Amino acid sequence: MEPTLEYVFEIRARIDPDFHIGRGPDETLSFTPISGGSVSGPRLNGEVLPGGGDWAVERSGTAQLEARYLLRAEDGAVIDILNRGYFRATPEVIARMETGEDVPEDEPGLYFRTAPVFQTDAPPHRWLAENQFVGLARDEDGHVCIRVFLLT
């Protein structure tokens, strides 16, 4: 059996400037606040609620990410998301991103992938809390954009 992916929605999380926390000579810890955003797609629409954020530990050029925040569906249901993943990019891609260029998630030299886990007891959205998902991420216009796919 081969797994398949079904596109379900895109999260566009608006991010604020990050805070360097530090850690040691071989790794760096930082925190990036999430200040809002949107969710849109064939299976879920709504908003990213302000609050929460993304903790990143960078080691040897790869950042291990752990973001936690809330989504509110169009029907008012609140959905918790814990989104873990990895980010790394070549110096050339990072330089392009730092100038504000929108770099697509399939750009050679960019690896930005996540595995979101959702929690909610709202009946129309229970499918989120009962399945595995994969996210393909990119930075765009001051947002982290994550295309979310249901793994079947």
Side-chain angles (χ1 to χ4, degrees):
M1 181 172 144
E2 294 285 327
T4 60
L5 297 174
E6 174 194 347
Y7 171 70
V8 289
F9 53 85
E10 179 172 273
I11 299 168
R12 294 181 57 84
R14 188 173 51 253
I15 57 173
D16 290 342
D18 65 327
F19 296 96
H20 172 79
I21 299 167
R23 182 130 321 151
D26 297 328
E27 61 186 27
T28 303
L29 176 63
S30 63
F31 175 76
T32 304
I34 295 172
S35 57
S38 63
V39 179
S40 62
R43 303 240 350 232
L44 184 67
N45 290 286
E47 65 179 319
V48 176
L49 296 175
D54 187 8
W55 285 260
V57 177
E58 184 177 339
R59 295 179 198 93
S60 303
T62 298
Q64 183 177 4
L65 311 170
E66 184 170 310
R68 185 124 200 199
Y69 49 101
L70 299 173
L71 309 176
R72 183 181 351 229
E74 282 182 324
D75 63 6
V78 176
I79 302 161
D80 174 70
I81 177 172
L82 174 60
N83 203 358
R84 292 185 171 135
Y86 294 92
F87 170 86
R88 71 177 162 273
T90 63
E92 295 79 20
V93 170
I94 289 174
R96 290 170 49 202
M97 293 170 81
E98 288 176 347
T99 65
E101 182 179 338
D102 295 337
V103 178
E105 65 259 8
D106 62 351
E107 180 74 22
L110 175 64
Y111 186 85
F112 196 178
R113 305 290 186 258
T114 71
V117 175
F118 302 94
Q119 295 184 84
T120 185
D121 64 358
H125 307 294
R126 281 295 307 157
W127 65 278
L128 289 165
E130 297 170 345
N131 289 284
Q132 183 65 55
F133 298 86
V134 174
L136 302 179
R138 68 189 186 282
D139 285 328
E140 185 177 290
D141 296 328
H143 292 77
V144 170
C145 303
I146 306 165
R147 290 190 313 130
V148 177
F149 295 83
L150 171 64
L151 179 63
T152 61

